[in-house]
Amino acid sequence: MDTIASLFSFITTPVSWVIVQFHSVYGAIFGPDTGWAWGLSIVSLVILIRICLIPLFVKQIKATRAMQTLQPEMKKIQERYKNDRQRQSEEMMKLYKETGTNPLSSCLPILAQSPFFFALYHVLNSIASNDTIGVINDRLLESAQKAHIFGAPLAAKFTDSSDKVEALNSSLTDVRVVTAIMIVLMSLSQFYTQRQLMTKNVDTTVKTPFMQQQKMLMYVFPIIFAVFGINFPVGVLVYWLTTNVWTMGQQMYVIHNNPTPGSKAQAAYLERLSKHVTRHGKTRNRRERAIVKAIVAKGRDRNEYERKFINGLNKAGLAAQTDGMVIKSESTAAAQAEDGTPITTGASAPKRQQPKRQSKSQRQSGTAKAAGEPTSLTKSDEPEDDTKPAAAAKKGNAKPAGGTRSKAQSGQRKGPQRPKSPSKK
């Protein structure tokens, strides 16, 4: 390990200088020889490095998602050229070039952070060996050796002997308890980071070997941290634990605000976004507009959660535009009243009234009126003088007054009647 660390000795001077600058600030608050001053200096170094690595982290996210998208195509190439390794490699490189992806982009933050990690290890190992390094002179070396974090010296290891620990003014029990707790927290934070990546931020619609690899790494990484952690000084464990906690928080932020398409995190995010857009009728910021724009651009290639999001906006009378804006749809605008107030929908809208069922006589009356035929007179509409019809009936030459048709007898059919058959004698 010392050989590997010595390869990064060129960066030990900048790392030691940064630690000393932070120590001068925290030392004025907590005291120069306290574990808080040196421990917070290491934590601040981690935060500074991770802030500088944010652009690389963004590239890592894009590269990881691009690799997830290419997994089906890569699997087809592997199956097609499974007997020709050279042709398989050529087709893989061609696919990477056409899509603009790089498999190594997902490892950029780790590769960029490794020189600082080994440089810090080299600095703390020199402090434990009572050797000056970088800008850490004899006075700062003595102060660092006096610094204890919860009773464990900054340069002590889990595997150190009792004599070496006593030389640093501490006990072997304190060192092993503190280092064991840090190793456990470090492993748990790494496991939780990988687990939330696998359970929440992975496209569940595509089953690829990449998912199996991530699942395997979820259990392998904590074991690696535990094995190598017992050989690291307390200061390095502070650096590593802080890095894991930062990564976990950064991953939670990405999953919450920019999830992978097709994942459970995207379903939860689009549900929250749909509620906000439905309530306010617009998107809040540029990031939300970019997400809506990407969903609209997919067209028929949208996944289940994206189709549900678009359908929810349509039901609310809204329409997502190609630029990511959300406006009121034309169908809803056309359904507004003339005074500009929207027509109420849903439970508050008035129910459509069904026409009342008419009786048979009412329907016949309505049919007669539509055909232009006079309707039968009611009792009140009959003429008052009924003597003339009676007298005419006696003479035998009476005709219906006013040209009205005689009322058909009950039981008779209207129109020409069939002659009755003669009765048998």
Side-chain angles (χ1 to χ4, degrees):
M1 193 68 172
D2 292 337
T3 304
I4 298 176
S6 62
L7 295 176
F8 297 92
S9 58
F10 67 94
I11 203 172
T12 53
T13 300
V15 169
S16 62
W17 182 84
V18 173
I19 292 177
V20 169
Q21 299 305 313
F22 281 120
H23 175 263
S24 62
V25 175
Y26 294 118
I29 301 174
F30 302 102
D33 299 336
T34 60
W36 287 104
W38 286 99
L40 289 176
S41 299
I42 297 174
V43 172
S44 300
L45 174 66
V46 175
I47 295 175
L48 178 62
I49 294 174
R50 295 309 298 265
I51 290 175
C52 295
L53 293 179
I54 286 178
L56 294 179
F57 180 75
V58 174
K59 290 184 178 180
Q60 180 191 22
I61 294 175
K62 294 180 178 179
T64 302
R65 292 184 180 178
M67 291 298 296
Q68 290 176 353
T69 305
L70 292 179
Q71 286 298 318
E73 298 296 330
M74 294 170 61
K75 189 176 181 180
K76 292 179 182 179
I77 294 175
Q78 291 173 354
E79 293 177 353
R80 184 180 304 172
Y81 305 104
K82 59 183 178 181
N83 297 326
D84 190 352
R85 295 291 182 181
Q86 183 177 358
R87 183 64 183 278
Q88 186 181 122
S89 301
E90 292 176 357
E91 293 295 328
M92 288 288 189
M93 295 302 296
K94 183 179 179 181
L95 179 64
Y96 294 150
K97 186 176 181 180
E98 291 176 353
T99 56
T101 57
N102 187 357
L104 298 178
S105 298
S106 58
C107 303
L108 285 177
I110 298 176
L111 296 176
Q113 189 179 349
S114 57
F116 298 96
F117 172 80
F118 288 112
L120 178 63
Y121 176 84
H122 200 183
V123 169
L124 295 176
N125 191 48
S126 299
I127 292 174
S129 303
N130 199 20
D131 295 331
T132 58
I133 184 172
V135 298
I136 297 179
N137 52 27
D138 293 332
R139 181 180 60 82
L140 293 173
L141 179 62
E142 183 181 0
S143 175
Q145 288 181 339
K146 292 180 181 179
H148 290 65
I149 298 177
F150 300 108
L154 196 68
K157 305 176 185 177
F158 184 88
T159 56
D160 285 345
S161 62
S162 59
D163 295 337
K164 188 173 182 179
V165 173
E166 289 176 0
L168 297 173
N169 299 323
S170 181
S171 64
L172 185 62
T173 303
D174 293 339
V175 171
R176 291 188 174 178
V177 169
V178 171
T179 53
I181 292 175
M182 285 187 176
I183 290 172
V184 170
L185 293 177
M186 191 171 57
S187 301
L188 288 178
S189 60
Q190 178 67 32
F191 177 79
Y192 181 78
T193 301
Q194 287 294 122
R195 181 174 175 79
Q196 71 173 351
L197 182 65
M198 288 297 301
T199 57
K200 296 181 179 180
N201 206 37
V202 173
D203 188 357
T204 56
T205 59
V206 180
K207 303 295 183 181
T208 62
F210 180 78
M211 297 176 61
Q212 298 297 329
Q213 295 174 4
Q214 291 293 324
K215 188 176 181 180
M216 182 181 64
L217 292 176
M218 181 174 66
Y219 295 99
V220 171
F221 273 163
I223 298 175
I224 295 175
F225 274 80
V227 171
F228 286 95
I230 61 176
N231 296 312
F232 290 147
V234 174
V236 175
L237 293 179
V238 172
Y239 177 92
W240 209 339
L241 178 60
T242 307
T243 298
N244 285 358
V245 172
W246 177 281
T247 303
M248 182 176 63
Q250 192 170 246
Q251 187 71 46
M252 291 176 64
Y253 176 82
V254 171
I255 291 175
H256 187 269
N257 295 283
N258 193 14
T260 300
S263 63
K264 294 181 180 179
Q266 189 197 30
Y269 176 80
L270 292 180
E271 184 177 356
R272 296 192 305 269
L273 181 60
S274 178
K275 290 181 180 179
H276 172 81
V277 173
T278 302
R279 186 183 305 114
H280 299 282
K282 61 179 181 179
T283 51
R284 286 178 291 186
N285 47 45
R286 185 183 301 175
R287 177 173 52 81
E288 291 183 351
R289 288 193 292 270
I291 291 177
V292 174
K293 180 180 179 180
I295 294 175
V296 173
K298 287 184 177 181
R300 295 184 178 181
D301 295 333
R302 302 185 189 114
N303 56 45
E304 177 185 357
Y305 310 126
E306 293 167 346
R307 287 194 297 268
K308 185 178 179 181
F309 172 73
I310 296 296
N311 292 336
L313 293 182
N314 293 337
K315 290 180 180 179
L318 300 173
Q321 303 299 303
T322 55
D323 59 351
M325 299 294 290
V326 176
I327 62 173
K328 190 170 294 185
S329 62
E330 296 179 358
S331 59
T332 305
Q336 289 183 347
E338 294 180 357
D339 57 355
T341 57
I343 297 177
T344 56
T345 58
S348 60
K351 296 182 179 180
R352 181 180 178 182
Q353 295 182 355
Q354 298 293 337
K356 293 182 179 181
R357 185 180 181 87
Q358 296 180 345
S359 63
K360 184 176 181 180
S361 61
Q362 291 176 339
R363 291 197 298 271
Q364 291 177 350
S365 176
T367 304
K369 288 180 179 179
E373 297 178 357
T375 58
S376 59
L377 296 175
T378 59
K379 188 175 182 180
S380 60
D381 295 331
E382 292 179 355
E384 296 180 359
D385 190 5
D386 57 348
T387 57
K388 292 181 180 180
K394 290 180 180 180
K395 294 180 180 180
N397 57 355
K399 294 182 179 180
T404 57
R405 297 178 181 179
S406 61
K407 187 183 296 185
Q409 297 181 0
S410 61
Q412 286 186 337
R413 296 175 59 186
K414 295 182 180 181
Q417 301 293 327
R418 293 178 61 184
K420 295 182 179 180
S421 60
S423 59
K424 295 181 180 181
K425 294 182 179 180

